Amino acid sequence: MKEFILDTHSHTVASGHAYGTVLEMARAASERGLQLLAITDHAPALEGSCSEIHFRNFKVIDQYLYGVEILMGAELNIMDYEGNVDLGPEVLKKLPLCIASLHTICLKPGTKKENTRTLLKVMENPYVHIIGHPDDGWYEIDYEAMVREAKAQHVLIEINNSSLVPGGSRIHCEENMRTILRYCERYGQEIVVNTDSHFPTSVGRFDEARALLEAVSFPEELIVNTDVEKLKKYRNRTGL
């Protein structure tokens, strides 16, 4: 399997529960040999995170740091079963990359039907590029329906390396990822492997996810991490 040269899910001190600065995260990405890093701090609804103004001022940040292309985006919180998120379109249209994720602190898990509908609805948002950590077993999801809609809406499915690291709060992650990957292969749905880094030393470390992909013989051509141009196809969903 080729080397992964991009990581599109990471957090800085602005998220309130992460511990690196933008410069520290970028330097770590450079040291790991990445070509692109997305900084995706949590949107405002997550307790302890930054306010909306944080996401309005990214123009002050250099596009390249330590030789790494930097995308200043957001990890949006899905707020209800209609798929609404916690930043409005006037802000989202300025962001080059957005992840939409379910977090129990923002939306209590519902029924399988409700949880699945939530993800299907959020993918209708033209500013959402990636569905974050759908492996979280607190939310029962119809993964076949999720993958088919992602394919139809041209949205990436995330394989979250952090979910596979022992000690996390998510449950049944490897089992669920295997199911997700099976459907992604069946329907030709591309994935993005992310670290969900909350500290610089984990930027660009994909060991657990790579091992899983190799164990299930997942097709390399469906992994966007090996080519920045593959990612651009999804970023250009809204012409950004």
Side-chain angles (χ1 to χ4, degrees), residues 18-36:
Y19 307 96
T21 66
V22 171
L23 288 176
E24 289 168 342
M25 301 295 276
R27 184 166 56 244
S30 179
E31 292 171 353
R32 295 290 293 177
L34 297 184
Q35 294 182 19
L36 181 147

Side-chain angles (χ1 to χ4, degrees), residues 130-150:
I130 299 170
I131 296 298
H133 49 74
D135 54 79
D136 189 353
W138 291 113
Y139 295 92
E140 188 178 5
I141 291 165
D142 180 341
Y143 287 127
E144 183 173 15
M146 178 191 76
V147 169
R148 291 178 65 178
E149 185 68 8

